[in-house]
Amino acid sequence: MSAFLLRCVLPLLLLAGCSGWQSALDPRADAAQELHGLFWLFTITCGIVWAVVMLVLAGALLRRPAAARPEEERGRAERRSGRVVGGAVAATVLVIAGLTLASFFATRGISADHPEALVVRLRGFQWWWEVTYDDPSPNWVFITANELHLPLGRPVRLELAAADVIHSFWVPNLAGKQDMIPGRDNVLAFTPTQAGTYRAQCAEFCGLQHAHMALQVVVETPEEFGRWRATQVAAAAAPESAEEVAGRAVLEGKACAACHTVRGTAAAGTLGPDLTHVGGRRNIAAGMLPTTRGAMAAWIADPQTIKPGNNMPMVPLSADELQAVSAYLVRLR
Amino acid sequence: MRLAALPAVVGHSITPVAAAVVDRELGQPWGFRVTGWAVAALLAMALPGNVGAAEVPPAEKELTPASVGQLRLAFTFRTHHPGPATQAPLADGKTLFLLTPFPHTLYALDLATPDATVRWRYTPEADGTARGRSCCGEGQGGMSLEGGRLYVNTLDGRTLALDAANGAPAWEVRTADPSSGESLASAPLPAGGKLLLGNAGDRFGVRGWIAALDAGTGRRLWRLHSTGEDAEVGIGAGFRPLYPGDDRADRGVASWPPSAWQQGGGGVSGPILWDAGSGLVFHGTGHPAPLVPDQRQGDNRWTSGLFARELETGRARWFDPLNSHDLYGLGATASSLLLDRDWRGAPRRLLVHPDANGHVYVLDRGTGEILSAEPFVPVNATAGVDLATGALRRDESKAVRRGRMTRDICPASPGAVTGASAFLPETGLLYIPSRRLCMDMEARNANYIRGTGFTGANLRLRPADGEGQGALVGWDLEAGRPAWTVPERFPLSGGVLATGGLVVYGTLDGVLKALDARSGAVLWQFQAASGILSRPVAFRGPDGHAQLAVLAGSGDGPEAEIDRRDASAEDGMGNVLRDLPRSPDPGVTLYMFRLP
Amino acid sequence: MTPAERDLRDAALEATEGAGALERRLERTWRTREGFWGALSTVDHKIIGRRYIVTAFAFLALGGVLAMLMRLQLARPESRFLSADLYNQIFTIHGANMMFLFAVPVAEAMAVYLVPLLVGTRNIAFPRLGAFSYWVYLFGGIMLWVAFILQTGPDVGWFAYVPLSGPQYASGKRADVWAQMITFTEISALAVAVEIVVTVLKQRAPGMSLDRIPIVVWAMLVMAFMIILAMPAVVTGSSVLIMDRLVGTHFFNPAEGGDVLLWQHLFWFFGHPEVYIIFLPSVGMLSTMLPSFVRRPIFGYLALVMSIMAIGVLAFGLWVHHMFTTGLPRLGESFFTASSMAIAVPAGTQIFCWIATIWLGRPVFRVPFLFILAFFFTFVLGGMTGVMVASVPLDTQLHDTYFVVAHFHYVLVGGAVFPLLGAIYYWFPKITGRMMSERIGRWVVGLLFLGFNFTFFPMHILGLQGMPRRIYAYPPELGWGGMNLFVSLCSIALAAGFLLFFVDAVRSARKGPPAGDNPWDASTLEWATTSPPPPYNFARIPVVTSAAPLWDERAALPVASGLSVNRRELLITTMGTATPEVRETSPQNSIWPFWAALATSVMLVWSIFSPWALVWASIPVAITLIGWFWPRGTPEDDA
Amino acid sequence: MRVIPAALLLPLILAGCKREARETRLDPPVAEALGGVRVMANGISGQPPMVNAAQGEPYRNNAYQLAQGKRLYEWFNCQGCHADGGGASGPALMNGWWRYGPDAVSIFVTLRDGRPNGMPSFRDRLTTEQMWQLTGYLQNLGATVAATAAPSRNDAMQTRPAENRAPAMGALPVSPDR
């Protein structure tokens, strides 16, 4: 049943999200809504100002002043213009002051920190995201990658860090961006107000594959979130078919294990994304490919063609090994 | 190889060569020390045995502050084995046993003969892999003598029993697997027909354990881990948790992130103690792996603390988490002492444990209760111990976080004390060979690849404020403060011998010193040809005269292939040992002294 | 030459030697030698300025080619036309090239050419420094492009944020090339800035008191001061970056007490004023051109000058608005929001003054004026989006997206390039003696205006839809494909406009109709001399009696006399009222600035590879400087 | 007059291309060929694959490949035993002294097959290309002349002069016991 749901409903969800699943114009959290309101305030104000200036300019151009005017009349026109310009400057000051105040209050509205917030630690890597769910009891702390699940309506506090260069975490639908800077701690706080799947993308140039550094944010009901969390804490599912058993052997015996962790197996590398539940994630390769067996095999077979310059090497595997390991990995839900 | 046996003419012919070696390897400037080295090297290589035996006036045969000045070098025994000699020789009156660094050779020297002929020797099979598992003067196996049998732990994970009389092997078992980074760093402990031993390998993410073998056959009786579920740790009905929280089930799993305990370290690499009276064994557990704390959130039970276990079953009685969630890779494996004496007016059965974290812990060894914990070296990472919870009061500014550099942490990994301390009841002083070092620590990502380092930290050590990188601390146990300290230029790595009002120890730059146990005054010293990492031993020779033996050999010769331009070399020691002159004699040498 | 000959004055000359003798003598004194070496050793500000302008536009064309390559790549989702590596080099070089090799140099170039003419003097101050500056700039630009051809093009963004540009993550010499290119252009910019400041303050024609200085000269003066104050920050930054990379210092290494944000502060402390360094000259040129096309003096001269100065000052107080997402303290951010928005006040003042000028005048719709109108449309729009990105909270959504790409192209192309192209059309007759085509010019304006707005306006929307900057590919499912294709297609019109402009410029330079001295009937001094001006600019130094001398003294411009004709002499005047103070000599042609520039270039390029370059290559630099300043006993030396 | 700059430029172009190109994907046949080292019977020295020379020894000269090698050095726990080149339980790598020879083949084989004194085999942990990248980096780390393409310091604790600043000391003095 759930498999059916996943297979049929998910693509629909994705399609529905197409219009704006990475858009600042489609706010789905309190912070983004605040910014959305501010955006329209600024846009409308600025639009009016621009239109007025253009109209006056047009008037100045289309006006046909008398060819020769007496000196005193010209003087009067000059003085009148002076007053108009002075008034316009004063109006500018007022508008600017108003907008400054509006953005000041918007900042205050957003940066409220909640004591009961869900704490998630995010680390940016070249070119993927590590996600660590914090918990008071350490054996409920778990690590996943490139996918962030958040419970609907609960304040969340994202602690942002960088593992190598500067990255910037940005889910336009949920909040404004915040940089991840080596040697510094940054925090992003918001409360998701609508369930759905959103896309985050690195917004600070971070090298070769800056373009392919995305993260899925899944906002779901607290119940769904709780179930998901329980799944994530568990170790990887045991392989069932012979092919999957062979796949695990490949994972443990080949270069995979030197970089990736699959909890419950001998693979405990920490250089690449944690693969314990990779099959349950929507995408692989930081948002580049869907998690299907074919895409998984394609990615393992030739990561450097799909995402040139990324740190996953092209590991020589036989066709059988490739089949087996991709079959095993997509089953790790 | 045994110079005592060489004719003098050979000695003369060696002299210029030796001088040339000294010239070339020590570099400038030529200070007092270098001269000392040179003399020692010449002595080691060229002197015939029984130096000056005829001239010394007759004197008392006991080693005392009064007689120590008469100590004379009896003979030297050069093994040519390179490497750090960490295991003290053993003597049983007639025979002196010595175990060379890995790949080991075991020598039995006949003390009855004037030039100490080799009675037998034994070279166990060696798995070269283990060589890359030991660093920086860490222990390399060990031996103990019990009931005419010699029990040996080899670095590459073998435990064997030999007949002490003729070196005939009785049994040999494989107890540790060097391919995973596991090794045996210390001597096995014979206790009540059992042989207790523990593994080492915290820096490789090896899960620590302590095991008991049948001393007669080598069969394994029990083995219990330092991490994991209660059944595997030996926690059950008999366990008396000292602090709230430790009464919960499976703390060895629950106080770790999922699966992290499997590579969690906590090796039992230090000495194990047995209290025959209570039937309890005591041992420390090593630091949790990896060093980077972010990858092992939680308390990380049962690493970096002290265990009391029942000898028969290994079941845990109590556990003192000395360095809960050990931030600095200290571990609690430094050697302890069991003392039965008055404590603050009442007789107590004490366990005294100078810990790597720089505090001397005094425990009631029946209950594990901490009676006192006072610092014996400069400490800034913590502000004392809360006796109610046993926890250290940490300084948040010295916290270690991944991707950050934390500066100036005192004491430095691997701790304020690594060698064995000694106690003299008559002075009431504990003699602690301390390391006065601080460090800058940078935590970084640790990647687990079986058989390779699993640390995730860059260390850069430097001397603590004050005089010297090490000090011998004469610690007043009752008062909980030092009675005196003798500063040392280099960190003290070997153990201390306390006997007859004397404290004897060796230094990294090869000086063997004897101090007055009451005042700390240096009464006698001797310059060896190599650094000393092992504990000196004193015993009465076959002739009834007191003898003093020490094994020199710091493993610091050219074959060490250490380039100290790298401050992180040797786990950060590279930065403090830049001034340490290289030993002119890279081989392990036994120096035997005796009172005339 | 006897002292008497040396001091032969212009006043008495025509009486003794007849008509034309003055011009002949001056020509002989001020001319540039023929031939290759003559070309290399000239110190004539007009020749240097012309070269500067042509070179800058050549770099504009090259940068434009890169822009078109990027648009080709982005036309389709997940395009594989360019590799990620090449794309990163291309956008980096596009940015660095446009900012450092086009925008700033072209502003300086216009200043080098125009300022001496506008203030009525015979040559720029320190002309050898000017020659040196040009060669350094040229060599720096060549280095960047040669490096690009050698696959060593910088790929760390024109802002080169550490640690991405630091020793660990930018392997090879790519980032060093970027850093040294900065050093090259900064040296040349600082040299020009000093010349401009001195020329404007001390070499103005008699009577050109502060309130009679053409606004473009004010703008150039403020620009020059801004260069002098802002550029040292980035030179410090780039030198320190090279030290981190080459020598292993730790300025930007957080583990050893450095700070990665230090780089951003250093860079943007320069980088934001940089925007106004580019923008202010255009403001000035616009203010000076406008009266010619509305047939009346500028409205609100004082307000305009004051707002230029205000922008110059405020520009140094808002660099942090490039760093709103780095997690700086809230209070600081709010301050910089306020200061960023405050700059809209002087900018608005300027706009209102110009509109008032048009309102009160009678517009003549010639090509430069059309460019001014295009400027109004685009720049005001860019200013509005500037107000939006100045808001801290709003910027967290807009920063580093295509919204910002759109914003700064509106400000820089709309605000600086459109007036600049207008200025080229305007001063082209003065520079070449020939007019550019009015017909083609209208096509150019049309294509550029429409092409630009259709190319860049959709980028606002793309940014709001979540498209980040500096990505070489984007997935198809995000729905950015259609708009990107539209943008790419429209960019062809923009490119065509530029192409047409270049065609017109090249064609008109050869075959355009002769212009005459003052084709626009303009009011400023440069139109008082011939087109193109003679090497000595003015046979006699004009005397200024009003802010619009050529309109107010239509009959005959009063002139000053008394300068020597046998040696290069300038008239130095006081700073405030421009009262003549002394006669000062101006240096003769020299090849040494060229050699010095060459030696400097060798040193800078070499120091990419070895820190010892600073030691060994300083020897040839010293030798060339000695040659440059060697006293030869000429009149120019003993003045 | 014009020929000289052109002649000067040509080697510069070639050198520049070689040192700065970024090959992110190695063709599988080339990768396989790179694995075909022929090593002497004692495991020391041998003949490198022809394809390495044919490509201009990119793993030794190319800045990007060297940077990759440096990254792998840290990522694959080389530091655990060799510190930052100064050595700990493993020997120093920056002192110019190589137990098994300084040439690329020896180092490559050391990485691939391990050595008896504890050096583990990385055959199933690294790809051939990665082992070559590491080899090239290690050769630079222990080179007696610092190369321009050599990496500089990391954004990490300063433990030793960077590879492009500090050449190896040259072979250590050999003790008379050897």
Side-chain angles (χ1 to χ4, degrees), chain A residues 10-58:
Chain A
L10 196 68
L12 283 178
L13 270 177
L14 290 186
L15 277 180
C18 262
S19 57
W21 63 320
Q22 183 174 329
S23 172
L25 298 175
D26 189 8
R28 303 295 183 93
D30 59 346
Q33 259 145 7
E34 181 89 43
L35 295 176
H36 190 243
L38 194 67
F39 169 76
W40 284 114
L41 173 71
F42 268 71
T43 308
I44 291 167
T45 313
C46 291
I48 291 170
V49 171
W50 183 80
V52 168
V53 171
M54 286 303 116
L55 280 176
V56 175
L57 176 66

Side-chain angles (χ1 to χ4, degrees), chain B residues 377-452:
Chain B
V377 289
V379 174
N380 68 10
T382 53
V385 177
D386 183 347
L387 295 185
T389 62
L392 292 161
R393 295 188 195 94
R394 293 201 187 280
D395 178 349
E396 279 310 310
S397 70
K398 301 293 178 188
V400 176
R401 291 170 53 202
R402 182 166 48 195
R404 294 294 170 86
M405 172 97 110
T406 309
R407 288 172 183 276
D408 210 13
I409 302 166
C410 313
S413 170
V417 55
T418 55
S421 305
F423 182 77
L424 278 182
E426 61 264 37
T427 59
L429 297 184
L430 179 70
Y431 304 100
I432 311 169
S434 71
R435 303 153 65 94
R436 296 164 45 87
L437 295 174
C438 302
M439 66 176 172
D440 299 337
M441 180 170 181
E442 182 188 37
R444 51 219 304 189
N445 189 59
N447 184 33
Y448 182 76
I449 302 176
R450 188 174 183 274
T452 65

Side-chain angles (χ1 to χ4, degrees), chain B residues 27-358:
Chain B
Q28 301 75 28
W30 304 99
F32 156 79
R33 174 183 336 283
V34 177
T35 324
W37 277 122
V39 171
L42 294 181
L43 279 174
M45 292 184 224
L47 276 182
N50 294 326
V51 182
E55 293 82 24
V56 178
E60 47 183 325
K61 295 167 186 176
E62 296 293 331
L63 208 49
T64 61
S67 69
V68 69
Q70 300 167 14
L71 268 182
R72 290 294 181 269
L73 185 65
F75 65 86
T76 63
F77 179 81
R78 298 185 76 212
T79 65
H80 287 281
H81 277 276
T86 53
Q87 170 65 48
L90 292 177
D92 72 346
K94 290 194 286 296
T95 318
L96 186 84
F97 303 97
L98 65 100
L99 181 70
T100 65
F102 184 81
H104 309 287
T105 297
L106 195 56
Y107 292 94
L109 304 185
D110 188 349
L111 291 176
T113 57
D115 51 358
T117 51
V118 175
R119 182 173 286 166
W120 54 262
R121 85 179 72 172
Y122 181 79
T123 305
E125 202 185 325
D127 174 355
T129 311
R131 196 169 181 177
R133 302 293 177 253
S134 170
C135 173
C136 323
E138 285 165 1
Q140 299 203 344
M143 58 181 173
S144 46
L145 187 63
E146 166 86 4
R149 259 200 181 167
L150 206 52
Y151 298 100
V152 181
N153 273 343
T154 66
L155 181 71
D156 60 344
R158 292 163 219 266
T159 304
L160 44 129
L162 304 166
D163 188 330
N166 54 18
W171 50 260
E172 177 182 327
V173 290
R174 193 83 210 220
T175 45
D177 173 14
S179 73
S180 69
E182 196 175 37
S183 60
L184 299 178
S186 55
L189 172 75
K194 295 188 176 58
L195 196 62
L196 297 171
L197 59 116
N199 70 346
D202 300 340
R203 303 242 160 164
F204 293 85
V206 171
R207 195 176 159 207
W209 50 255
I210 175 171
L213 310 182
D214 183 316
T217 62
R219 190 172 57 86
R220 191 164 89 194
L221 302 173
W222 50 260
R223 186 169 83 159
L224 294 161
H225 288 90
S226 304
T227 67
E229 291 170 7
D230 282 351
E232 290 190 300
V233 181
I235 288 179
F239 183 67
R240 295 179 208 143
L242 286 163
Y243 307 109
D246 279 350
D247 48 353
R248 275 180 259 146
D250 293 331
R251 286 277 284 157
V253 171
S255 61
W256 297 82
S259 308
W261 54 272
Q262 288 164 355
Q263 295 92 32
V268 185
S269 54
I272 302 167
L273 296 176
W274 177 43
D275 180 13
S278 63
L280 287 180
V281 294
F282 306 94
H283 69 88
T285 53
H287 67 76
L291 290 184
V292 45
D294 306 61
Q295 285 177 245
R296 49 175 175 85
Q297 267 186 291
D299 288 342
N300 310 135
R301 290 286 183 275
W302 307 86
T303 62
S304 213
L306 284 178
F307 259 122
R309 295 178 182 276
E310 293 162 15
L311 174 65
E312 283 310 310
T313 58
R315 281 208 300 262
R317 177 69 60 84
W318 51 256
F319 178 82
D320 251 315
L322 302 187
N323 304 297
S324 193
H325 186 56
D326 193 347
L327 286 177
Y328 312 115
L330 298 171
T333 56
S335 72
S336 310
L337 295 100
L338 305 182
L339 305 175
D340 292 339
R341 56 182 274 118
D342 283 0
W343 172 258
R344 311 247 155 109
R348 289 293 276 259
R349 292 161 61 240
L350 301 176
L351 186 149
V352 177
H353 173 79
D355 192 72
N357 68 21

Side-chain angles (χ1 to χ4, degrees), chain A residues 147-198:
Chain A
E147 194 165 296
L148 181 66
H149 283 243
L150 299 175
L152 186 63
R154 178 165 171 199
V156 54
R157 176 185 160 88
L158 301 178
E159 297 182 350
L160 307 173
D164 33 48
V165 300
I166 300 178
H167 302 278
S168 189
F169 180 78
W170 185 37
V171 211
N173 295 82
L174 301 181
K177 60 183 75 63
Q178 190 65 255
D179 289 354
M180 303 166 136
I181 301 174
R184 282 179 180 262
D185 302 305
N186 277 341
V187 168
L188 191 62
F190 56 88
T191 310
T193 52
Q194 236 175 313
T197 303
Y198 312 108

Side-chain angles (χ1 to χ4, degrees), chain B residues 344-537:
Chain B
R344 311 247 155 109
R348 289 293 276 259
R349 292 161 61 240
L350 301 176
L351 186 149
V352 177
H353 173 79
D355 192 72
N357 68 21
H359 294 83
V360 177
Y361 287 82
V362 179
L363 313 178
D364 181 309
R365 67 176 183 259
T367 63
E369 180 196 354
I370 300 176
L371 305 175
S372 143
E374 297 296 333
F376 62 92
V377 289
V379 174
N380 68 10
T382 53
V385 177
D386 183 347
L387 295 185
T389 62
L392 292 161
R393 295 188 195 94
R394 293 201 187 280
D395 178 349
E396 279 310 310
S397 70
K398 301 293 178 188
V400 176
R401 291 170 53 202
R402 182 166 48 195
R404 294 294 170 86
M405 172 97 110
T406 309
R407 288 172 183 276
D408 210 13
I409 302 166
C410 313
S413 170
V417 55
T418 55
S421 305
F423 182 77
L424 278 182
E426 61 264 37
T427 59
L429 297 184
L430 179 70
Y431 304 100
I432 311 169
S434 71
R435 303 153 65 94
R436 296 164 45 87
L437 295 174
C438 302
M439 66 176 172
D440 299 337
M441 180 170 181
E442 182 188 37
R444 51 219 304 189
N445 189 59
N447 184 33
Y448 182 76
I449 302 176
R450 188 174 183 274
T452 65
F454 184 48
T455 54
N458 245 3
L459 307 180
R460 186 174 61 194
L461 273 58
R462 56 171 203 78
D465 292 341
E467 199 183 345
Q469 299 177 3
L472 188 86
V473 180
W475 181 264
D476 187 332
L477 200 59
E478 191 74 24
R481 56 179 169 74
W484 45 260
T485 51
V486 177
E488 290 290 341
R489 182 163 177 216
F490 293 103
L492 290 181
S493 298
V496 175
L497 165 73
T499 175
L502 283 174
V503 180
V504 189
Y505 63 96
T507 65
L508 267 185
D509 48 351
V511 183
L512 182 66
K513 288 187 180 177
L515 311 185
D516 184 303
R518 286 186 198 282
S519 66
V522 179
L523 301 174
W524 175 85
Q525 58 184 352
F526 177 83
Q527 175 73 56
S530 180
I532 299 170
L533 294 177
S534 65
R535 194 168 58 88
V537 292

